[in-house]
Amino acid sequence: MALFLALPFGASVPASAAEPSPPDYRDDRSTPEAVIGSLYNAIDRQEYLRAYSYFRDEPDLPDFETFAAGYAKTARTRVRMGQPTEEGGAGSLYFSLPVAVEAIGTDGRAEVFTGCYELRLVQPAVQVTPPFKPMGIVKGKLAKVTTPFDAATGTCPDRGLQ
C-alpha cells in the first residue's frame, strides 16, 4: 500500500553528513501545496499524528500505528511540487498535485519517490455541521525512482489515482 508513502530504505545515494535541526512548525491547509508541505513538515519533525491528520478518513487509510511505523527510519525529507490541477463537483473541489520526494533515512541514505497526491475540499460554505473539515489528502501514490531528486518530477494520471 504505497498509498500513504511509508518510505522504505535500501541501497542508494548517501546523503550529506550534517544533520539539520527540525524545521519550524508549519500547519497550513489552505492550498494543495500547503497541505503537502505541512505533511512533510510534520514527518520531518516526527509529529506523526499531525502528519496523519492531513489525510481524510477514507476506506483505505491505514491505522495510525501502521502509518507512523512507515516513517520510523525517515530522518528528513525534501519535496518538490508541480502545478496542481483542480476539478469541482457536487459541493467539493478536487485537486491533483504531482510531487517528487527525497527521503533521507536514519542511516543517511537518500531515496527519491515520484507520483501524485489527490486532495479534497468540501466547499466551506456548504459545511454546516461540526466539525469543520479542511482540505485533506484523499489518496497518494508514489513510487521509488532512480532519477536524482534535482531532476525528478511527479506526474498525475489524467483520470485520477485508482
Side-chain angles (χ1 to χ4, degrees):
M1 181 180 300
L3 172 62
F4 293 100
L5 187 61
L7 300 173
F9 291 94
S12 59
V13 180
S16 67
E19 290 295 323
S21 59
D24 291 339
Y25 177 88
R26 176 179 173 201
D27 182 8
D28 184 346
R29 299 169 195 240
S30 61
T31 67
E33 299 95 329
V35 172
I36 299 305
S38 296
L39 166 70
Y40 285 100
N41 174 266
I43 291 166
D44 287 349
R45 293 173 54 89
Q46 299 179 344
E47 296 169 353
Y48 304 125
L49 182 58
R50 181 166 66 93
Y52 191 73
S53 78
Y54 294 106
F55 290 87
R56 296 184 63 87
D57 189 16
E58 298 291 326
D60 52 356
L61 179 66
D63 62 73
F64 171 70
E65 291 76 19
T66 302
F67 175 85
Y71 294 100
K73 294 184 179 180
T74 303
R76 64 187 183 279
T77 63
R78 290 194 301 165
V79 62
R80 187 174 49 258
M81 297 168 253
Q83 185 67 35
T85 58
E86 178 181 331
E87 185 176 314
S92 291
L93 295 174
Y94 294 89
F95 302 90
S96 293
L97 180 64
V99 297
V101 177
E102 180 182 56
I104 295 97
T106 55
D107 63 359
R109 296 191 179 272
E111 293 185 335
V112 177
F113 300 83
T114 62
C116 182
Y117 281 103
E118 289 184 353
L119 301 94
R120 178 179 178 211
L121 173 64
V122 175
Q123 292 283 4
V126 301
Q127 294 190 49
V128 295
T129 306
F132 175 78
K133 295 190 183 206
M135 184 181 302
I137 302 164
V138 176
K139 295 180 184 181
K141 187 171 183 181
L142 304 178
K144 185 178 170 183
V145 297
T146 58
T147 308
F149 177 72
D150 293 336
T153 58
T155 58
C156 293
D158 290 338
R159 295 183 176 226
L161 299 175
Q162 303 299 322

